[in-house]
Amino acid sequence: MSAMMQFDEHVEHVEGEDSPSTPRFSRLLTSVLGSPFLTTSDLPAEAMLALRMDIDELETVDGTFNTVPRAQTITRPSSPTPSFSTDTYSFVNWTEHSDMFTPQHRPSVSDAAPACSFLPGSIRRSTTYYTGPASSPYNTLRCPQSGSLKRSRSFSLLPRLWDVLRESSPGKKGKRRMDLANAYWGDLEIDGYIDYTNLPPLDGEEGELIDDEACFIDVRAVTGLDIVAQIPHEVALHLFAFLELPDILSCLCVSKTWHQLASDNSVWRSLFGRKRSTGWEIDFRRSNTSTLTPAARFASAHRTPKPLSRSIPAPLEFDWYQMYKTRAELDRRWNAKSYLCNGSEDKENANIWEPRARRLSGHTDSVYCLEFDSSRIITGSRDRTIKVWSVKTGRCLATITGHRGSVLCLKFDQDFDLDEANSLTEDGLQGWRKGFMVSGSSDTSVCVWDLYAHPSEGEDGEEMAIMAEMRGVLRGHTGGVLDLRISAKWIISCSKDTLIRVWNRSTLALHCTLKGHEGPVNAVGLQGNRVVSASGDGNMILWDITKGERLRTFEGHDRGLACIDFKDDYIVSGSNDCKIKVWCASTGECLRTLLGHDMLVRALSFDPRSGRLVSGSYDRTVKVWDMHTGKMIREFKTCHASHIFDVKFDCNRITVLTGLAPDGGLYIPESIPHLPEGWQTAWAHHSFVDLSVEILSLYISSSEISRKELRALVEKSYGTFRHPDVAPIKKLNDKTYILELFHGPTFAFKDVALQLLGNLFEFFLSRRNAKKAAGEKQEQLTVVGATSGDTGSAAIYGLRTKSNISIFILHPKGRVSPIQEAQMTTVTDANVHNLAVKGTFDDCQDIVKALFADKAFNAKHHLGAVNSINWARILAQTVYYFLSYFHLGRHLSSTLSPDELTNIKIQYVVPTGNFGDILAGYFAKRMGLPMVKLVIATNSNDILARFWKSGAYEKTDTSAEPAEGATAPAEGASDGKQGTAVGGVKETLSPAMDILVSSNFERLLWYLAYEALAESDAETRPGACETLNSWMQKVKTDGRVEVPTKVVELARRDFLAERVSDEETLDSIRSYFGAEPSYVADPHTAVGLAAARRIALQNKPSTVQIVLSTAHPAKFSEAVTRALQGSSRFNFERDVLPREFKGLLDKERRVIDVESPDVELVKQVIEAYAEAAVAPSPEGTLSV
């Protein structure tokens, strides 16, 4: 971000309002970073008088009447041909017979060079290459009388070009020929070459760059060979014809010679002309005197008024480079593909997502640093102020002053106003929160601030007002403080004095000083008690704070380092060699080099979990990378007119308050994090709550939910479970264990996720509403879900009594078990609404998806999801896989030796219908939890088992004879079997798995498509989205899709699948009830046990199976009673029925009947009750 380095576009009025003069600049310099730049300043008073001289005293520049006082012109070293350090020169000569505005004849090419100007026509500046009072009025570049030049044997264009560049090419390393005013050359006492190491200080400080005092790169670190300078220029120019625009631009800073060639307007005109066959044409007849620049109009206004004899030739007036660049960008956009995974059929009209930008203006000089959190941005500037901005409105909330120099860096505690621990308890300070900030300056000091956020008064009452009070000043550096880092214990500062200082955050006392760099330390990174520093000397050092010792030195960049970031075990550095490097902190290995920036990489930020890296450069671009693959994902140009000094981003917003993505797809994490080093030892004795905090923290940013807040949410969620372990394991035999997941409020595994999800909903809503002014409407959430039995009751128990939340649960009428229906419909809280839909579970789920896809309805009611399409549910369920891993280890350690225990392989067997529970196991496996292939256990609705067998994902089995009908239900109460339909869902004894299409299977298919594409050169992420969309569209339209063999092989790498019939389910219940120890399984768990027994025959002796028990057997009384009714040992009330279920069927109920699976009917119910504080009358049912 920069407020400086802008060309002065102001136009002074000299003689009358319609007589503008040309803008001006005071110096043309080239920084030691190799980046040309201009600085603007007011001319001295005598220069202002010169501007008001007669027109005869003004020098005509390049035949376009860009005029300046002769005293302000700059002498250029002589040359026989025009310089290629121009943007508007064209080899097309003007007429030799007459000038544009004078009757005199121009000299021929043999006498003088054609005229040229220094900048593009639309932004020409008052700079003249002036050779003295004897200069011809027709041109300002003439061969001097002294000095000999090597003559080309040819009079053609390219050899003459070679002559010019041969004479003006750089002569010595570290030096460059400059076109400076005579007066300035005299001040430096040099003869045309500049030795940067002996330059006087810029902007008042030794070695300080005039455009970036917060970063210093020693000129001695600049190395490299200009290869293009070694080849004939004819060849170099010919190469242009074979390169696209991005390739040309990326070469400009690699070769000075190429940069000079690319500055010639005629080259770009020729390149533009080559595109004529593809439609790049310009009608020059439309270009006339209207193309005159302000300077040309100014000159013509002071001459004798007369009609122009001819128009200025259009080819000379166009900025061909800008024309080429603009047209190339248009072509790129027109030819680009949409990467939005929205399942849209109208791909021709699909738009590429473009970010929305908001510009914050208020600083009066360059903005050097910024930090942000969920509600505010804090910036530091060269104007010596710190400003706090609202993320929501862009309004400046506070301006903080205290430094006597530029504010070069700052850090603060993010979202400090959201943490109750920061609340102030003093009288009169209710609602106030206290935070912490540090800032570093070129005045060599570090200021420590107390930040205060408090409710504001007035129209913008929803914004928290900000105040700052200086707590202290840390002194010790002798140079400007270039970067800062803070943690709960430390404050780290680095400076131009080559030192890193470590301060105690609590006492503000100096802990240690780290010495080792030979140049200014431009940036530091902090991780625990380790600090990494990056210096302009080109080295990077890793330090141990507690010991004050150097751990490792990293060498790999060719030039000085400008920025660094340190997270987890990754260090990312940016340098003046235009490269970004990714390092392993523990080994010192360079993992990857990212290439793409054209100039110094000034700032970067990355997220190790997602692998996303954002970088900002002096080339004025911001790029987004995948640090794991090295590919550039996105590039933002034209956002800034000057150098980018700092960039920050955050991609860890968790998806909780919604289920489906805005485009109708499902959310997946940007990347699957790896488990931290030593996790097996550190977590071995963790409770379920402890494991939840550790695992969820890998996905949830602490800036979104602090660790303290997360622990409180987890403890509240699992305090409702009846078993202290939450999810205990039981041994059935030496090779088979049961993981019981039904000890929550509704006796189903869904409680594990939905108890947490309900509290997350309430947490985020409370946070948002806390910022609203008194009397302002509170934000509401409308939760909608479909259930085949267990999800509905678990969701209702998780969200009942939650403020500002209404929940609507759709279940297929008469097709859930009596206990399941009673658990839902007997909850009569005002915010709970049960809808009995006449149809199947798939009908209910289709209605929910349609509601989320309706953007207008979704926006009006703020829909949230509780089905396993909500990613937070999947995340919560990964925890019990880790818990069972550790518990099994403790069980086996009592009977096995350490060597035998090491050889044990764990296999999870999961009864599944919607694929959510087993997908959680897949994520646990990808994170690093040791296990062999996961086993998918399905009932007769075997779409998943058939996919693993044939590679076809099809609603109806087209490869076999019609399946034998499901086992007939017993007389009496139904356990909720889905109605049998031709080609539809079969009714079984395990109704929660009676699902035709598994929603979460789409998530696995995306990963399979991604891995299958990863071996090619295709863009894997957008390619995977497009592939998945095409597959699911075929399922929707044709009822089936057959995926490539490679995808099936990848699926078989991690999964096995088995189909279990109803008869096998009953046999499984009987078998384990009669075994020792005796165990009563519900029909879903029995499906898993039957599949496990079958798979065990293929397993190695070292494999131990853990079968997930998803529901309490009392919830499916019919199936259990039917299987065990012949046993004299079995008594349902004694052996199965919990006391919480007794009398449940006789309780008062409330339900809304929906007569057909029509989304509009469901909308009517939601419209009527979404924000109502009262519920429908419990007497009977309401029908729509």
Side-chain angles (χ1 to χ4, degrees), residues 628-646:
H628 298 310
T629 65
K631 292 185 177 181
M632 185 175 70
I633 300 170
R634 194 73 194 269
E635 182 178 33
F636 303 105
K637 297 181 179 180
T638 70
C639 295
H640 294 280
S642 188
H643 296 334
I644 298 171
F645 293 131
D646 202 0

Side-chain angles (χ1 to χ4, degrees), residues 247-288:
D247 303 316
I248 296 175
L249 297 181
S250 60
C251 294
L252 296 185
C253 291
V254 176
S255 169
K256 299 172 185 176
T257 306
W258 202 320
H259 192 283
Q260 290 172 324
L261 295 176
S263 297
D264 187 81
N265 205 26
S266 65
V267 173
W268 291 100
R269 181 190 178 197
S270 174
L271 290 173
F272 192 95
R274 292 172 187 244
K275 299 284 188 176
R276 188 171 299 173
S277 60
T278 59
W280 287 24
E281 285 204 69
I282 294 179
D283 186 355
F284 293 119
R285 295 172 298 177
R286 295 174 179 258
S287 180
N288 48 33

